[in-house]
Amino acid sequence: MDGQGYGDHLNSYREVSAFDLDIRLAASKARVAEILERVDLSEEDFIEGFPDLAKKVQGLPDGPVLPD
């Protein structure tokens, strides 16, 4: 998970770590899509470069999570 070649904003270990945390804290697939867009990373590149995170995302709800 070095981030080399993955998106314009994933150029350092710190940026990759922040990206990793954002994905892990995402409550929905919609939020993950926003994060991927922000770092200019395609879904295909995300799956290829971050397979463990991609598996976590599969279990998330599709839409935004509404507060109780």
Side-chain angles (χ1 to χ4, degrees), residues 9-67:
H9 301 285
L10 299 178
N11 297 320
S12 72
Y13 182 75
R14 181 179 296 165
E15 291 164 344
V16 172
S17 294
F19 170 76
D20 182 274
L21 181 61
D22 286 346
I23 296 292
R24 290 182 189 279
L25 294 176
S28 69
K29 291 178 184 173
R31 178 66 183 127
V32 170
E34 291 173 4
I35 295 165
L36 294 179
E37 185 176 324
R38 183 184 77 218
V39 298
D40 193 27
L41 186 65
S42 72
E43 186 175 336
E44 292 80 21
D45 286 341
F46 172 63
I47 292 168
E48 180 182 323
F50 304 91
D52 293 337
L53 285 177
K55 287 179 187 175
K56 182 226 180 268
V57 169
Q58 288 177 346
L60 295 175
D62 290 332
V65 176
L66 300 175

